[in-house]
Every structure is written in C-alpha cells, then in structure tokens.
Amino acid sequence: RKEVEQDPGPFNVPEGATVAFNCTYSNSASQSFFWYRQDCRKEPKLLMSVYSSGNEDGRFTAQLNRASQYISLLIRDSKLSDSATYLCVVNGPGGFKTIFGAGTRLFVKA
Amino acid sequence: NAGVMQNPRHLVRRRGQEARLRCSPMKGHSHVYWYRQLPEEGLKFMVYLQKENIIDESGMPKERFSAEFPKEGPSILRIQQVVRGDSAAYFCASSRSAGALNTEAFFGQGTRLTVV
C-alpha cells in the first residue's frame, strides 16, 4: 500500500462547480497534513494546512479524519484559475519525512 | 529570506555524462528532500537528508544516483552516466528542524534535466 494515495483524476468540471479531492495515508502516527498545488511545469506550492477541526480559506475547505486516515479538499465555485494538480502531503511521526501523494489533476472549463 | 534555490534551472547532458544538481535550502532549514517528476506524472520521492546524513534513500535508484548534504554548502544530487530515462524535472524541498509540528516544505523551482 502506498504511504499516501490520491485519485489521479483528471477531474473535468465546469466553472462554478464544486469539486472534492480525497486522500488516504497509511501511517496512523503521521502528525501534520497539507494540500499543495502544482501548476504545469512549476514547483508545488502550499495551498493550505489541514487541521483536525477542519479549516476553511475562502472557497477552499480542508478536512482531516484521523480515525479513517483520510484527508479531503473541497473547492467551491470553481474558477478557470483553479486548474492545476493538487497534492496531498503528510508529515511522518516526529516531523520526519514529508511524503507527497502523486496528485489529482483538475481542469476547470468555461 | 531567499527561498529554496536550485541550479541550474535547465541542464542538458549527453548520454554517459554526469549531471550535478544543486539545492540550497531556505535559511534555518536543515531538512532537504529530492523528488523526481517525469512528464505528466506525479512527484516521486528520492531521498531525504539532514546535514551530513542521509536519512532515507528508499526512492533512489541503487546505481548511478547519489546525494549529499555537506556541513557547508548546498545539497547535491549526482547522476553518473546519464541515460535518456533520467530526463525529468528534479525538485528539491526543504523544511525546518524535526519535531516541529505543521512543518511545511518549501520547493525550489526545479532543475529540468534533458539527456540527449
């Protein structure tokens, strides 16, 4: 089983749609969680951290379910500029080793 | 505070040559990660280093690839006798000391290696 697994997609959605990405991780002792965004031929950049209580940043909502070892990202009212690859990221116990999922590609169409 | 610096941004090598990729982490960061990304694919973990130590190299090919992070200077990813299949984008990321919660990783802009 991969340490971090994501649906590779791609997700093709119209502007204004709501889209959800899921991610599972294998190490129950993992400590911190993030979503990164990667645009074509660019480096990944932090989108948001994921907290146990869930957190929201504008149109983006992240959720963490430690019991199920599951992380989600919800994007509401999708924009063309949201088209990118979204990477689920997990830090191991003690903060050691950052592990990236393979990413989910999103295409938002006019 | 400069971000993670990688150089060169683009590197062209002939088959059989050596490629050296450099990564200077952010100031105050002692953890360095190297990832490889093939065209249209996700990031693949290669190696995780702290100063002067390789912590995890489980993603690194056993032959031709090596990495170091010396006490002084940048981290180096070295590929000997390159082959066409080594053509990819190589990203370096750095993070703060171990034990810090919510320790996000910051990426360099990557080195795009082309083997001709």
Side-chain angles (χ1 to χ4, degrees):
Chain A
R1 182 184 172 188
K2 290 182 181 177
E3 291 179 281
V4 178
E5 289 203 67
Q6 294 183 249
D7 182 341
F11 285 44
N12 292 288
V13 303
E15 270 188 295
T18 296
V19 60
F21 302 134
N22 302 317
C23 170
T24 57
Y25 59 96
S26 61
N27 190 333
S28 60
S30 298
Q31 287 194 322
S32 49
F33 311 88
F34 309 89
W35 283 100
Y36 278 67
R37 168 187 170 136
Q38 185 178 26
D39 292 292
C40 188
R41 299 185 66 78
K42 297 289 183 77
E43 75 275 21
K45 292 187 178 178
L46 179 69
L47 179 65
M48 59 196 301
S49 301
V50 187
Y51 303 117
S52 296
S53 54
N55 48 303
E56 188 173 311
D57 182 1
R59 298 181 292 110
F60 299 83
T61 301
Q63 297 275 357
L64 167 64
N65 184 323
R66 284 190 183 270
S68 302
Q69 295 176 212
Y70 170 91
I71 306 158
S72 66
L73 176 68
L74 185 76
I75 305 176
R76 290 180 299 278
D77 189 24
S78 300
K79 311 290 184 192
L80 294 174
S81 57
D82 293 334
S83 297
T85 297
Y86 291 83
L87 303 160
C88 173
V89 182
V90 174
N91 273 0
F96 292 105
K97 192 174 176 184
T98 297
I99 304 164
F100 281 74
T104 300
R105 296 190 73 175
L106 171 66
F107 295 101
V108 181
K109 302 169 293 184
Chain B
N1 185 12
V4 178
M5 303 300 291
Q6 286 188 252
N7 68 84
R9 292 287 307 280
H10 301 274
L11 181 62
V12 179
R13 284 287 178 266
R14 296 185 187 280
R15 279 178 292 169
Q17 290 185 319
E18 178 181 286
R20 279 187 173 233
L21 288 61
R22 294 174 186 79
C23 170
S24 296
M26 284 181 71
K27 188 176 180 181
H29 286 195
S30 58
H31 294 209
V32 166
Y33 308 81
W34 284 95
Y35 292 83
R36 177 163 66 176
Q37 188 170 39
L38 295 170
E40 305 302 317
E41 293 190 12
L43 288 165
K44 297 283 174 62
F45 168 78
M46 298 183 74
V47 61
Y48 162 42
L49 310 103
Q50 294 179 29
K51 282 285 186 181
E52 299 186 273
N53 289 303
I54 295 175
I55 306 302
D56 183 345
E57 56 182 346
S58 58
M60 196 107 95
K62 297 288 184 237
E63 296 178 351
R64 302 187 298 107
F65 285 73
S66 63
E68 61 177 11
F69 188 14
K71 187 176 180 181
E72 301 290 337
S75 175
I76 306 285
L77 178 67
R78 185 178 172 207
I79 312 172
Q80 295 178 294
Q81 299 174 328
V82 296
V83 300
R84 287 232 171 96
D86 297 333
S87 296
Y90 292 83
F91 287 100
C92 167
S94 72
S95 64
R96 287 184 288 136
S97 299
L101 295 180
N102 282 334
T103 305
E104 67 192 84
F106 294 84
F107 278 82
Q109 292 181 299
T111 293
R112 279 169 178 76
L113 172 65
T114 302
V115 180
V116 297

PDB file of all heavy atoms in Angstrom, chain B residues 81-109:
ATOM      1  N   GLN B  81      26.754   8.751 -15.485  1.00  0.00           N
ATOM      2  CA  GLN B  81      26.470   8.008 -16.725  1.00  0.00           C
ATOM      3  C   GLN B  81      24.988   8.111 -17.080  1.00  0.00           C
ATOM      4  O   GLN B  81      24.284   7.098 -17.181  1.00  0.00           O
ATOM      5  CB  GLN B  81      26.898   6.550 -16.560  1.00  0.00           C
ATOM      6  CG  GLN B  81      28.389   6.404 -16.285  1.00  0.00           C
ATOM      7  CD  GLN B  81      28.786   4.963 -15.985  1.00  0.00           C
ATOM      8  OE1 GLN B  81      28.009   4.205 -15.431  1.00  0.00           O
ATOM      9  NE2 GLN B  81      29.986   4.597 -16.370  1.00  0.00           N
ATOM     10  N   VAL B  82      24.531   9.319 -17.289  1.00  0.00           N
ATOM     11  CA  VAL B  82      23.097   9.550 -17.512  1.00  0.00           C
ATOM     12  C   VAL B  82      22.607   8.804 -18.752  1.00  0.00           C
ATOM     13  O   VAL B  82      23.340   8.608 -19.722  1.00  0.00           O
ATOM     14  CB  VAL B  82      22.771  11.049 -17.628  1.00  0.00           C
ATOM     15  CG1 VAL B  82      23.068  11.770 -16.328  1.00  0.00           C
ATOM     16  CG2 VAL B  82      23.511  11.695 -18.798  1.00  0.00           C
ATOM     17  N   VAL B  83      21.334   8.417 -18.660  1.00  0.00           N
ATOM     18  CA  VAL B  83      20.646   7.764 -19.783  1.00  0.00           C
ATOM     19  C   VAL B  83      19.399   8.588 -20.093  1.00  0.00           C
ATOM     20  O   VAL B  83      18.988   9.441 -19.297  1.00  0.00           O
ATOM     21  CB  VAL B  83      20.249   6.312 -19.439  1.00  0.00           C
ATOM     22  CG1 VAL B  83      21.497   5.494 -19.107  1.00  0.00           C
ATOM     23  CG2 VAL B  83      19.273   6.260 -18.277  1.00  0.00           C
ATOM     24  N   ARG B  84      18.791   8.325 -21.251  1.00  0.00           N
ATOM     25  CA  ARG B  84      17.630   9.120 -21.679  1.00  0.00           C
ATOM     26  C   ARG B  84      16.511   9.073 -20.644  1.00  0.00           C
ATOM     27  O   ARG B  84      15.797  10.046 -20.431  1.00  0.00           O
ATOM     28  CB  ARG B  84      17.121   8.610 -23.027  1.00  0.00           C
ATOM     29  CG  ARG B  84      18.042   8.973 -24.190  1.00  0.00           C
ATOM     30  CD  ARG B  84      17.270   9.652 -25.327  1.00  0.00           C
ATOM     31  NE  ARG B  84      18.189  10.189 -26.328  1.00  0.00           N
ATOM     32  CZ  ARG B  84      18.508   9.541 -27.428  1.00  0.00           C
ATOM     33  NH1 ARG B  84      17.984   8.353 -27.680  1.00  0.00           N
ATOM     34  NH2 ARG B  84      19.344  10.094 -28.287  1.00  0.00           N
ATOM     35  N   GLY B  85      16.358   7.941 -19.987  1.00  0.00           N
ATOM     36  CA  GLY B  85      15.293   7.801 -19.000  1.00  0.00           C
ATOM     37  C   GLY B  85      15.466   8.668 -17.769  1.00  0.00           C
ATOM     38  O   GLY B  85      14.537   8.801 -16.962  1.00  0.00           O
ATOM     39  N   ASP B  86      16.646   9.281 -17.608  1.00  0.00           N
ATOM     40  CA  ASP B  86      16.861  10.193 -16.480  1.00  0.00           C
ATOM     41  C   ASP B  86      16.291  11.576 -16.753  1.00  0.00           C
ATOM     42  O   ASP B  86      16.227  12.413 -15.844  1.00  0.00           O
ATOM     43  CB  ASP B  86      18.366  10.328 -16.193  1.00  0.00           C
ATOM     44  CG  ASP B  86      19.011   9.023 -15.760  1.00  0.00           C
ATOM     45  OD1 ASP B  86      18.299   8.165 -15.182  1.00  0.00           O
ATOM     46  OD2 ASP B  86      20.223   8.847 -16.001  1.00  0.00           O
ATOM     47  N   SER B  87      15.886  11.830 -17.991  1.00  0.00           N
ATOM     48  CA  SER B  87      15.312  13.135 -18.334  1.00  0.00           C
ATOM     49  C   SER B  87      14.041  13.345 -17.520  1.00  0.00           C
ATOM     50  O   SER B  87      13.097  12.549 -17.589  1.00  0.00           O
ATOM     51  CB  SER B  87      14.982  13.202 -19.832  1.00  0.00           C
ATOM     52  OG  SER B  87      16.160  13.098 -20.618  1.00  0.00           O
ATOM     53  N   ALA B  88      14.019  14.417 -16.756  1.00  0.00           N
ATOM     54  CA  ALA B  88      12.897  14.690 -15.847  1.00  0.00           C
ATOM     55  C   ALA B  88      13.134  16.046 -15.199  1.00  0.00           C
ATOM     56  O   ALA B  88      14.182  16.671 -15.379  1.00  0.00           O
ATOM     57  CB  ALA B  88      12.802  13.607 -14.763  1.00  0.00           C
ATOM     58  N   ALA B  89      12.135  16.468 -14.429  1.00  0.00           N
ATOM     59  CA  ALA B  89      12.314  17.635 -13.554  1.00  0.00           C
ATOM     60  C   ALA B  89      12.680  17.113 -12.175  1.00  0.00           C
ATOM     61  O   ALA B  89      12.021  16.207 -11.650  1.00  0.00           O
ATOM     62  CB  ALA B  89      11.038  18.458 -13.491  1.00  0.00           C
ATOM     63  N   TYR B  90      13.723  17.667 -11.598  1.00  0.00           N
ATOM     64  CA  TYR B  90      14.166  17.268 -10.254  1.00  0.00           C
ATOM     65  C   TYR B  90      13.916  18.449  -9.324  1.00  0.00           C
ATOM     66  O   TYR B  90      14.467  19.525  -9.508  1.00  0.00           O
ATOM     67  CB  TYR B  90      15.644  16.883 -10.277  1.00  0.00           C
ATOM     68  CG  TYR B  90      15.889  15.607 -11.052  1.00  0.00           C
ATOM     69  CD1 TYR B  90      16.011  15.631 -12.439  1.00  0.00           C
ATOM     70  CD2 TYR B  90      15.963  14.379 -10.404  1.00  0.00           C
ATOM     71  CE1 TYR B  90      16.217  14.449 -13.161  1.00  0.00           C
ATOM     72  CE2 TYR B  90      16.174  13.205 -11.110  1.00  0.00           C
ATOM     73  CZ  TYR B  90      16.294  13.244 -12.489  1.00  0.00           C
ATOM     74  OH  TYR B  90      16.481  12.082 -13.202  1.00  0.00           O
ATOM     75  N   PHE B  91      13.057  18.198  -8.342  1.00  0.00           N
ATOM     76  CA  PHE B  91      12.711  19.252  -7.390  1.00  0.00           C
ATOM     77  C   PHE B  91      13.366  18.968  -6.043  1.00  0.00           C
ATOM     78  O   PHE B  91      13.406  17.824  -5.581  1.00  0.00           O
ATOM     79  CB  PHE B  91      11.189  19.319  -7.194  1.00  0.00           C
ATOM     80  CG  PHE B  91      10.448  19.894  -8.358  1.00  0.00           C
ATOM     81  CD1 PHE B  91       9.814  19.060  -9.267  1.00  0.00           C
ATOM     82  CD2 PHE B  91      10.373  21.271  -8.538  1.00  0.00           C
ATOM     83  CE1 PHE B  91       9.112  19.587 -10.346  1.00  0.00           C
ATOM     84  CE2 PHE B  91       9.678  21.802  -9.613  1.00  0.00           C
ATOM     85  CZ  PHE B  91       9.052  20.963 -10.519  1.00  0.00           C
ATOM     86  N   CYS B  92      13.806  20.033  -5.431  1.00  0.00           N
ATOM     87  CA  CYS B  92      14.331  19.978  -4.076  1.00  0.00           C
ATOM     88  C   CYS B  92      13.367  20.746  -3.180  1.00  0.00           C
ATOM     89  O   CYS B  92      12.797  21.763  -3.592  1.00  0.00           O
ATOM     90  CB  CYS B  92      15.710  20.621  -4.057  1.00  0.00           C
ATOM     91  SG  CYS B  92      16.364  20.978  -2.439  1.00  0.00           S
ATOM     92  N   ALA B  93      13.167  20.237  -1.969  1.00  0.00           N
ATOM     93  CA  ALA B  93      12.359  20.937  -0.980  1.00  0.00           C
ATOM     94  C   ALA B  93      13.112  20.958   0.338  1.00  0.00           C
ATOM     95  O   ALA B  93      13.935  20.081   0.606  1.00  0.00           O
ATOM     96  CB  ALA B  93      11.003  20.251  -0.802  1.00  0.00           C
ATOM     97  N   SER B  94      12.822  21.960   1.155  1.00  0.00           N
ATOM     98  CA  SER B  94      13.444  21.997   2.473  1.00  0.00           C
ATOM     99  C   SER B  94      12.394  22.304   3.528  1.00  0.00           C
ATOM    100  O   SER B  94      11.337  22.883   3.228  1.00  0.00           O
ATOM    101  CB  SER B  94      14.569  23.041   2.526  1.00  0.00           C
ATOM    102  OG  SER B  94      14.070  24.372   2.522  1.00  0.00           O
ATOM    103  N   SER B  95      12.678  21.876   4.760  1.00  0.00           N
ATOM    104  CA  SER B  95      11.782  22.179   5.866  1.00  0.00           C
ATOM    105  C   SER B  95      12.608  22.415   7.119  1.00  0.00           C
ATOM    106  O   SER B  95      13.810  22.121   7.157  1.00  0.00           O
ATOM    107  CB  SER B  95      10.768  21.045   6.078  1.00  0.00           C
ATOM    108  OG  SER B  95      11.428  19.859   6.456  1.00  0.00           O
ATOM    109  N   ARG B  96      11.924  22.913   8.165  1.00  0.00           N
ATOM    110  CA  ARG B  96      12.614  23.224   9.417  1.00  0.00           C
ATOM    111  C   ARG B  96      12.990  21.956  10.168  1.00  0.00           C
ATOM    112  O   ARG B  96      12.764  20.860   9.724  1.00  0.00           O
ATOM    113  CB  ARG B  96      11.714  24.090  10.290  1.00  0.00           C
ATOM    114  CG  ARG B  96      11.570  25.511   9.803  1.00  0.00           C
ATOM    115  CD  ARG B  96      10.749  26.312  10.779  1.00  0.00           C
ATOM    116  NE  ARG B  96       9.347  25.928  10.746  1.00  0.00           N
ATOM    117  CZ  ARG B  96       8.597  25.746  11.827  1.00  0.00           C
ATOM    118  NH1 ARG B  96       9.106  25.909  13.017  1.00  0.00           N
ATOM    119  NH2 ARG B  96       7.330  25.421  11.715  1.00  0.00           N
ATOM    120  N   SER B  97      13.537  22.145  11.356  1.00  0.00           N
ATOM    121  CA  SER B  97      14.042  21.019  12.135  1.00  0.00           C
ATOM    122  C   SER B  97      12.952  20.019  12.470  1.00  0.00           C
ATOM    123  O   SER B  97      11.784  20.367  12.556  1.00  0.00           O
ATOM    124  CB  SER B  97      14.652  21.529  13.446  1.00  0.00           C
ATOM    125  OG  SER B  97      15.718  22.395  13.169  1.00  0.00           O
ATOM    126  N   ALA B  98      13.364  18.810  12.671  1.00  0.00           N
ATOM    127  CA  ALA B  98      12.457  17.732  13.031  1.00  0.00           C
ATOM    128  C   ALA B  98      11.790  18.046  14.356  1.00  0.00           C
ATOM    129  O   ALA B  98      12.333  18.741  15.202  1.00  0.00           O
ATOM    130  CB  ALA B  98      13.234  16.427  13.154  1.00  0.00           C
ATOM    131  N   GLY B  99      10.599  17.542  14.504  1.00  0.00           N
ATOM    132  CA  GLY B  99       9.878  17.723  15.760  1.00  0.00           C
ATOM    133  C   GLY B  99       8.960  18.916  15.739  1.00  0.00           C
ATOM    134  O   GLY B  99       8.088  19.032  16.589  1.00  0.00           O
ATOM    135  N   ALA B 100       9.141  19.802  14.765  1.00  0.00           N
ATOM    136  CA  ALA B 100       8.253  20.956  14.695  1.00  0.00           C
ATOM    137  C   ALA B 100       6.958  20.532  14.013  1.00  0.00           C
ATOM    138  O   ALA B 100       6.989  20.004  12.906  1.00  0.00           O
ATOM    139  CB  ALA B 100       8.918  22.081  13.923  1.00  0.00           C
ATOM    140  N   LEU B 101       5.845  20.767  14.656  1.00  0.00           N
ATOM    141  CA  LEU B 101       4.578  20.375  14.054  1.00  0.00           C
ATOM    142  C   LEU B 101       4.233  21.313  12.907  1.00  0.00           C
ATOM    143  O   LEU B 101       4.672  22.450  12.853  1.00  0.00           O
ATOM    144  CB  LEU B 101       3.479  20.413  15.109  1.00  0.00           C
ATOM    145  CG  LEU B 101       3.632  19.397  16.242  1.00  0.00           C
ATOM    146  CD1 LEU B 101       2.485  19.519  17.215  1.00  0.00           C
ATOM    147  CD2 LEU B 101       3.700  17.979  15.687  1.00  0.00           C
ATOM    148  N   ASN B 102       3.373  20.797  12.019  1.00  0.00           N
ATOM    149  CA  ASN B 102       2.960  21.588  10.860  1.00  0.00           C
ATOM    150  C   ASN B 102       4.154  22.169  10.129  1.00  0.00           C
ATOM    151  O   ASN B 102       4.179  23.339   9.773  1.00  0.00           O
ATOM    152  CB  ASN B 102       2.011  22.711  11.273  1.00  0.00           C
ATOM    153  CG  ASN B 102       0.613  22.168  11.513  1.00  0.00           C
ATOM    154  OD1 ASN B 102       0.241  21.142  10.935  1.00  0.00           O
ATOM    155  ND2 ASN B 102      -0.144  22.806  12.358  1.00  0.00           N
ATOM    156  N   THR B 103       5.154  21.301   9.941  1.00  0.00           N
ATOM    157  CA  THR B 103       6.367  21.756   9.269  1.00  0.00           C
ATOM    158  C   THR B 103       6.182  21.609   7.772  1.00  0.00           C
ATOM    159  O   THR B 103       6.390  20.548   7.215  1.00  0.00           O
ATOM    160  CB  THR B 103       7.560  20.911   9.723  1.00  0.00           C
ATOM    161  OG1 THR B 103       7.634  20.979  11.143  1.00  0.00           O
ATOM    162  CG2 THR B 103       8.851  21.448   9.142  1.00  0.00           C
ATOM    163  N   GLU B 104       5.773  22.676   7.139  1.00  0.00           N
ATOM    164  CA  GLU B 104       5.561  22.609   5.704  1.00  0.00           C
ATOM    165  C   GLU B 104       6.898  22.611   4.983  1.00  0.00           C
ATOM    166  O   GLU B 104       7.905  23.092   5.496  1.00  0.00           O
ATOM    167  CB  GLU B 104       4.725  23.793   5.239  1.00  0.00           C
ATOM    168  CG  GLU B 104       5.437  25.128   5.380  1.00  0.00           C
ATOM    169  CD  GLU B 104       4.514  26.301   5.187  1.00  0.00           C
ATOM    170  OE1 GLU B 104       3.847  26.683   6.153  1.00  0.00           O
ATOM    171  OE2 GLU B 104       4.480  26.823   4.065  1.00  0.00           O
ATOM    172  N   ALA B 105       6.898  22.057   3.776  1.00  0.00           N
ATOM    173  CA  ALA B 105       8.086  22.020   2.940  1.00  0.00           C
ATOM    174  C   ALA B 105       7.965  23.079   1.856  1.00  0.00           C
ATOM    175  O   ALA B 105       6.882  23.302   1.308  1.00  0.00           O
ATOM    176  CB  ALA B 105       8.252  20.633   2.308  1.00  0.00           C
ATOM    177  N   PHE B 106       9.061  23.726   1.558  1.00  0.00           N
ATOM    178  CA  PHE B 106       9.107  24.738   0.516  1.00  0.00           C
ATOM    179  C   PHE B 106       9.966  24.204  -0.627  1.00  0.00           C
ATOM    180  O   PHE B 106      11.042  23.653  -0.403  1.00  0.00           O
ATOM    181  CB  PHE B 106       9.712  26.032   1.053  1.00  0.00           C
ATOM    182  CG  PHE B 106       8.872  26.702   2.092  1.00  0.00           C
ATOM    183  CD1 PHE B 106       8.936  26.317   3.417  1.00  0.00           C
ATOM    184  CD2 PHE B 106       7.994  27.718   1.743  1.00  0.00           C
ATOM    185  CE1 PHE B 106       8.148  26.916   4.381  1.00  0.00           C
ATOM    186  CE2 PHE B 106       7.205  28.340   2.701  1.00  0.00           C
ATOM    187  CZ  PHE B 106       7.279  27.939   4.018  1.00  0.00           C
ATOM    188  N   PHE B 107       9.487  24.434  -1.829  1.00  0.00           N
ATOM    189  CA  PHE B 107      10.149  23.878  -3.002  1.00  0.00           C
ATOM    190  C   PHE B 107      10.984  24.904  -3.750  1.00  0.00           C
ATOM    191  O   PHE B 107      10.641  26.087  -3.814  1.00  0.00           O
ATOM    192  CB  PHE B 107       9.113  23.322  -3.985  1.00  0.00           C
ATOM    193  CG  PHE B 107       8.650  21.947  -3.633  1.00  0.00           C
ATOM    194  CD1 PHE B 107       7.663  21.761  -2.692  1.00  0.00           C
ATOM    195  CD2 PHE B 107       9.228  20.840  -4.233  1.00  0.00           C
ATOM    196  CE1 PHE B 107       7.236  20.484  -2.360  1.00  0.00           C
ATOM    197  CE2 PHE B 107       8.810  19.559  -3.911  1.00  0.00           C
ATOM    198  CZ  PHE B 107       7.826  19.392  -2.967  1.00  0.00           C
ATOM    199  N   GLY B 108      12.041  24.414  -4.353  1.00  0.00           N
ATOM    200  CA  GLY B 108      12.762  25.180  -5.345  1.00  0.00           C
ATOM    201  C   GLY B 108      12.046  25.078  -6.685  1.00  0.00           C
ATOM    202  O   GLY B 108      11.062  24.331  -6.823  1.00  0.00           O
ATOM    203  N   GLN B 109      12.510  25.828  -7.659  1.00  0.00           N
ATOM    204  CA  GLN B 109      11.854  25.871  -8.965  1.00  0.00           C
ATOM    205  C   GLN B 109      12.205  24.672  -9.830  1.00  0.00           C
ATOM    206  O   GLN B 109      11.657  24.515 -10.913  1.00  0.00           O
ATOM    207  CB  GLN B 109      12.209  27.179  -9.677  1.00  0.00           C
ATOM    208  CG  GLN B 109      11.588  28.390  -9.000  1.00  0.00           C
ATOM    209  CD  GLN B 109      11.916  29.674  -9.713  1.00  0.00           C
ATOM    210  OE1 GLN B 109      13.082  30.045  -9.835  1.00  0.00           O
ATOM    211  NE2 GLN B 109      10.898  30.362 -10.186  1.00  0.00           N
TER     212      GLN B 109
END
